[in-house]
Amino acid sequence: MPKTKDFVHLHLHTDYSLLKGAIQLKPLVKQLAELEMGACAITDYANMYGAISFYTVMKQNGIHPILGYEAMVTFGSRHDRDPSLKAGERPYYHLVLLAKDFEGYKNLTYMASKAYTEGLHHRPRIDVELLAENSTGLIGLSSGLKGAVGHYLLQNDTETALKNTLMFRDIFGEDNFFLEIQEHGVPDEQTIRSGLVELSRSSGVPFVATNDAHYLSQSDSKAH
């Protein structure tokens, strides 16, 4: 791994995030090299279809591959098909999962499979129970506005946001869960910024700066 603390992408969607991401692997590698980034993560939506291709291309070009995916986590049971929700709740929340080692990678593939074979209801979902049972070797990132922490901060429900922050910290273990801080020019991100800072202070959970990348350059925005 790079010894410096230079920015690298830990939240990035390739074109394996079907109909959402537009980043192809070979152009990605070229841009990473031009920007002198020594590592990069893949965090496609609810799937790991691109993991092996990503790993191979990155290794061939001397860039450290970080394998992950962006999970859809329900706070109910992944087996539940009841569409009813309490006011202010979502049917699932985004959560970025990154593998630290081979055991973490195996846990990722297991949960990604279970999301489709057991949790598929509009979206392939995992639940908190499955996550807690398979969290070894994983790092969790809170995701953005669609993550549980960001969602409840946007609802001005700081108590529930803190509760979820502490829950994920306990699931992943000390130093394995991070609050994502992002800047995409979206007003809601500015709205929750002070809440995120206060959450970090009160919970002891540190920040990680991410850019929820779906395409390579600003000029790709219109095409995306």
Side-chain angles (χ1 to χ4, degrees):
M1 288 290 290
K3 294 181 180 180
T4 65
K5 293 184 178 180
D6 293 338
F7 179 86
V8 299
H9 282 289
L10 298 177
H11 191 155
L12 181 141
H13 300 280
T14 73
D15 54 358
Y16 287 95
S17 286
L18 305 179
L19 300 180
K20 293 182 180 290
I23 298 177
Q24 296 177 314
L25 297 183
K26 290 184 179 179
L28 171 62
V29 166
K30 180 180 179 182
Q31 187 130 331
L32 291 172
E34 290 174 355
L35 296 172
E36 298 182 348
M37 292 185 178
C40 184
I42 181 173
T43 59
D44 284 317
Y45 287 114
N47 79 77
M48 298 187 67
Y49 305 146
I52 299 303
S53 296
F54 175 84
Y55 181 88
T56 301
V57 170
M58 293 294 149
K59 294 293 281 187
Q60 287 174 346
N61 289 271
I63 297 172
H64 183 82
I66 302 169
L67 300 180
Y69 86 107
E70 187 160 3
M72 314 295 181
V73 183
T74 176
F75 286 169
S77 169
R78 65 186 182 276
H79 303 284
D80 191 5
R81 301 297 184 265
D82 184 358
S84 62
L85 292 169
K86 294 180 181 179
E89 291 186 350
R90 294 175 56 89
Y92 56 84
Y93 301 89
H94 291 216
L95 182 70
V96 174
L97 304 176
L98 303 173
K100 293 198 297 182
D101 50 33
F102 186 60
E103 185 173 5
Y105 169 73
K106 290 193 293 183
N107 282 331
L108 284 181
T109 57
Y110 179 77
M111 286 192 287
S113 296
K114 287 293 185 181
Y116 275 99
T117 58
E118 296 180 354
L120 184 61
H121 183 59
H122 301 294
R123 294 289 188 275
R125 309 163 305 158
I126 63 174
D127 55 25
V128 174
E129 179 185 17
L130 185 68
L131 178 65
E133 291 172 351
N134 298 276
S135 62
T136 304
L138 295 180
I139 289 173
L141 311 182
S142 66
S143 192
L145 295 169
K146 292 183 179 180
V149 176
H151 170 79
Y152 284 107
L153 284 178
L154 200 57
Q155 301 290 321
N156 293 317
D157 188 349
T158 55
E159 182 179 347
T160 304
L162 176 60
K163 177 183 175 182
N164 288 321
T165 299
L166 297 175
M167 177 188 70
F168 286 129
R169 183 198 65 185
D170 292 343
I171 287 174
F172 293 106
E174 202 74 31
D175 301 324
N176 289 318
F177 180 63
F178 296 83
L179 296 170
E180 286 188 59
I181 191 163
Q182 301 177 337
E183 179 55 77
H184 300 103
V186 179
D188 285 345
E189 289 176 345
Q190 295 291 339
T191 300
I192 68 169
R193 185 68 49 79
S194 60
L196 281 170
V197 172
E198 184 56 39
L199 267 185
S200 180
R201 288 172 178 165
S202 60
S203 67
V205 174
F207 282 121
V208 61
T210 66
N211 179 12
D212 190 1
H214 287 70
Y215 43 86
L216 281 181
S217 64
Q218 190 173 13
S219 61
D220 295 331
S221 175
K222 186 176 180 180
H224 178 264

